[in-house]
């Protein structure tokens, strides 16, 4: 007897593999978020942003002020990863979240760039 809840046009079979891939990617990103939080003060906060072509950036700020980024293949995967990792999300990367970021001389010189005496881009070896 056929399951009445399964579409007869085969769409369930076409979407299942990509959903499984998205779930695996979200789980992998969640582990990376958890690892970042653990190594940077025990917790982290973040913000999601669309980059391009459907990809998304997960900006992370650890409890100690260290920061980093991860890239997800979609906003949905980024949201799932943040949710699985228990990441506190902010709507914007300004105000309260930006104030928690700790930058050092390296970041400031890189922001200034070589125009103002900052280090040049490293040569590819």
């Amino acid at each position: 007897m056929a399951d009445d809840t399964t579409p007869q046009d085969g769409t369930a079979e076409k979407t299942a593999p990509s959903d499984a891939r998205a779930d695996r990617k979200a789980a992998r990103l969640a582990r990376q978020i958890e690892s970042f939080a653990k190594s940077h003060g025990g917790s982290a906060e973040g913000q999601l942003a669309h980059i391009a072509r459907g990809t998304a950036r997960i900006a992370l700020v650890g409890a100690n002020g260290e920061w980093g980024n991860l890239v997800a293949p979609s906003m949905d995967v980024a949201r799932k990863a943040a949710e699985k990792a228990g990441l506190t999300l902010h709507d914007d990367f300004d105000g309260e979240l930006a104030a928690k970021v700790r930058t050092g001389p390296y970041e400031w010189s890189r922001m200034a760039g070589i125009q103002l005496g900052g280090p040049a881009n490293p040569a590819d070896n």
Side-chain angles (χ1 to χ4, degrees):
M1 180 171 178
D3 181 2
D4 293 335
T5 61
T6 303
Q8 298 302 314
D9 62 1
T11 57
E13 290 124 27
K14 292 178 188 174
T15 59
S18 65
D19 287 346
R21 273 193 297 271
D23 287 344
R24 285 192 304 272
K25 183 62 177 176
R28 188 174 314 119
L29 286 166
R31 287 191 302 273
Q32 291 174 313
I33 292 168
E34 291 165 350
S35 176
F36 176 88
K38 183 178 178 184
S39 63
H40 294 290
S43 66
E45 299 177 49
Q47 189 259 340
L48 307 181
H50 172 77
I51 299 176
R53 296 187 184 197
T55 58
R57 176 188 72 167
I58 306 170
L60 300 169
V61 180
N64 66 356
E66 295 291 324
W67 55 278
N69 291 300
L70 294 171
V71 176
S74 71
M75 285 295 282
D76 287 338
V77 170
R79 278 190 199 95
K80 284 180 185 177
E83 191 175 290
K84 286 181 185 212
L87 185 67
T88 300
L89 289 176
H90 294 262
D91 292 332
D92 296 305
F93 198 96
D94 62 1
E96 182 185 337
L97 184 60
K100 294 179 181 182
V101 174
R102 188 182 75 210
T103 57
Y106 174 78
E107 288 84 6
W108 283 102
S109 66
R110 292 298 297 161
M111 286 186 258
I114 60 173
Q115 302 88 346
L116 300 177
N121 289 330
D124 292 331
N125 293 333

